[in-house]
Amino acid sequence: MRSRHPVRLPTDRELTETLGLSRVTVRRAVSELCRGCYILKIPGKQGIYTNPAMAEITLHSIGILRSSNYIHNRELSILGAMGEELMRRKCFYSMNFFMLHDASAATLARELRSSGLDCMISFEPSPLVESLLDQGIPLLTVEHFGYPERVSRNFFGTDEAAAGRAAAQAVAHRQFRNILYCGSYPEMRRVFQETLSGSAWIDCIDGTEKPDVFLQILKRKKYDAVIGMMREIGIRKLYDALHELNPAVPPEIYLYPWPESELFREGNPAFPTVVFDTAFFQGQLKKLGQALADGVIRLLAGETVSGTLINPIHFNPKRRRTAEQ
């Protein structure tokens, strides 16, 4: 039974003898526990005491499933927002990274169960994730665009259709006649095209073409605007093609607010570039993290978690004048 009153702990020497550790290690551990308020030094009393306020706290262990040792900034932002929401709701946790490998789903399920993790999170929807769910693993999947096939349950993601509509509405006031849309997100592209189909001619490519394909496309037609909903490699190909073509009147370029988009805008002052409002990007990641935290709490409570699509907040493109303007 947990005590509602502080209980004095053994001395450093007693802990050293009991645990078989060095005195330096014991003192370091005691200092860390004091810093985290798990144990207390009570004024006017000698020794170290337990903290009754921490006695009722349960520390949950959350595993982050990875197929590589690389984690993207947007994933860190989502996890940060999730952590803030969990702490706000008094759900205390530790986070551990678990590397996936080529073993079968059954083998992985056994390893995950034996690791003592209370809940798992994956940023990579895949058949393996579906198999782990079928094995009864408490697993949530989150993504921020780019996966055409999502898992059937326990999924948190961004509504690509709403994002495509918001992007189209953000450029509609410019009344462009010819638009080149570059992006590999099919639902976003479809809704963008449908929203502006009555007022503009829109050509679409997925943004993964070879550099000479970009060049041929830009030579073939004069575009008023290029909408770049693609990552760093695609954006680089686009600017390389524009530099080689060097049009007298370059198209206006609109980039999705990935962190690298602002760097490309600054590095190519000859081309009028707009980066969609970064508040959209950060706001979306925060909303994903908060939704994920709610899913974690429900999963820990043994509840069923259904998929959730997070609608994007508004796009607010801010036009920046180039030196020529």
Side-chain angles (χ1 to χ4, degrees):
M1 185 174 179
R2 293 172 176 171
S3 174
R4 295 182 178 273
H5 303 284
V7 176
R8 185 173 178 176
L9 297 176
T11 64
D12 291 352
R13 179 179 295 176
E14 291 170 337
L15 288 172
T16 298
E17 294 174 355
T18 302
L19 300 176
L21 300 173
S22 69
R23 200 159 186 175
V24 173
T25 300
V26 169
R27 286 181 174 177
R28 185 182 298 120
V30 168
S31 297
E32 290 294 327
L33 291 171
C34 283
R35 189 177 296 111
C37 296
Y38 293 97
I39 57 179
L40 301 170
K41 290 183 178 180
I42 300 178
K45 292 186 177 182
Q46 293 184 344
I48 305 294
Y49 293 78
T50 59
N51 183 359
M54 300 296 287
E56 302 301 322
I57 290 177
T58 300
L59 186 67
H60 299 285
S61 179
I62 301 175
I64 311 300
L65 305 186
R66 304 295 305 161
S67 59
S68 69
N69 58 6
Y70 174 77
I71 183 167
H72 197 275
N73 287 337
R74 67 180 182 275
E75 296 171 1
L76 292 175
S77 298
I78 292 171
L79 291 176
M82 180 197 75
E84 290 179 4
E85 182 65 14
L86 288 176
M87 295 300 290
R88 188 185 71 82
R89 297 172 63 170
K90 308 301 181 185
C91 179
F92 298 90
Y93 68 96
S94 64
M95 197 177 297
N96 305 279
F97 289 83
F98 189 94
M99 296 297 295
L100 295 172
H101 48 76
D102 295 331
S104 66
T107 301
L108 283 172
R110 286 196 298 270
E111 291 182 13
L112 290 171
R113 288 194 182 96
S114 64
S115 65
L117 298 172
D118 299 309
C119 174
M120 270 64 73
I121 294 172
S122 172
F123 286 94
E124 303 165 18
S126 67
L128 177 60
V129 169
E130 285 279 10
S131 299
L132 291 174
L133 287 169
D134 292 338
Q135 294 286 328
I137 295 297
L139 175 61
L140 299 174
T141 303
V142 58
E143 64 92 16
H144 184 244
F145 293 149
Y147 290 94
E149 296 183 3
R150 298 185 170 98
V151 294
S152 61
R153 56 202 184 275
N154 294 20
F155 172 83
F156 295 86
T158 304
D159 190 337
E160 292 185 19
R165 190 174 301 109
Q169 292 169 350
V171 300
H173 71 286
R174 297 290 296 160
Q175 299 181 339
F176 297 120
R177 298 184 63 185
N178 292 294
I179 298 174
L180 176 62
Y181 181 99
C182 308
S184 58
Y185 311 124
E187 187 66 9
M188 187 190 302
R189 179 174 60 193
R190 180 187 66 79
V191 174
F192 181 92
Q193 193 169 19
E194 289 180 356
T195 304
L196 294 178
S197 60
S199 58
W201 180 269
I202 302 171
D203 292 324
C204 296
I205 59 176
D206 67 12
T208 60
E209 284 80 1
K210 296 179 180 179
D212 59 337
V213 175
F214 272 83
L215 186 61
Q216 294 301 319
I217 291 173
L218 292 170
K219 281 182 178 180
R220 188 172 58 207
K221 183 184 294 186
K222 182 181 182 300
Y223 291 100
D224 305 312
V226 177
I227 312 298
M229 297 295 189
M230 49 192 174
R231 297 309 306 264
E232 179 177 353
I233 295 176
I235 298 174
R236 188 182 303 279
K237 292 177 182 177
L238 170 63
Y239 279 110
D240 287 345
L242 285 170
H243 278 290
E244 185 170 346
L245 185 62
N246 193 24
V249 182
E252 292 189 15
I253 302 170
Y254 289 78
L255 299 179
Y256 186 83
W258 302 112
E260 60 266 26
S261 296
E262 194 66 34
L263 297 177
F264 278 102
R265 185 196 68 79
E266 295 175 354
N268 296 274
F271 302 102
T273 300
V274 176
V275 177
F276 287 114
D277 190 2
T278 53
F280 160 81
F281 180 79
Q282 294 300 330
Q284 201 172 50
L285 299 186
K286 184 175 182 179
K287 290 171 72 175
L288 269 175
Q290 291 171 342
L292 188 59
D294 183 70
V296 168
I297 290 173
R298 290 166 58 191
L299 203 61
L300 292 174
E303 299 179 15
T304 300
V305 181
S306 59
T308 301
L309 288 179
I310 306 301
N311 291 323
I313 62 176
H314 70 283
F315 274 97
N316 181 25
K318 298 177 181 179
R319 181 66 180 274
R320 293 180 171 86
R321 297 184 177 276
T322 62
E324 289 76 15
Q325 291 175 315

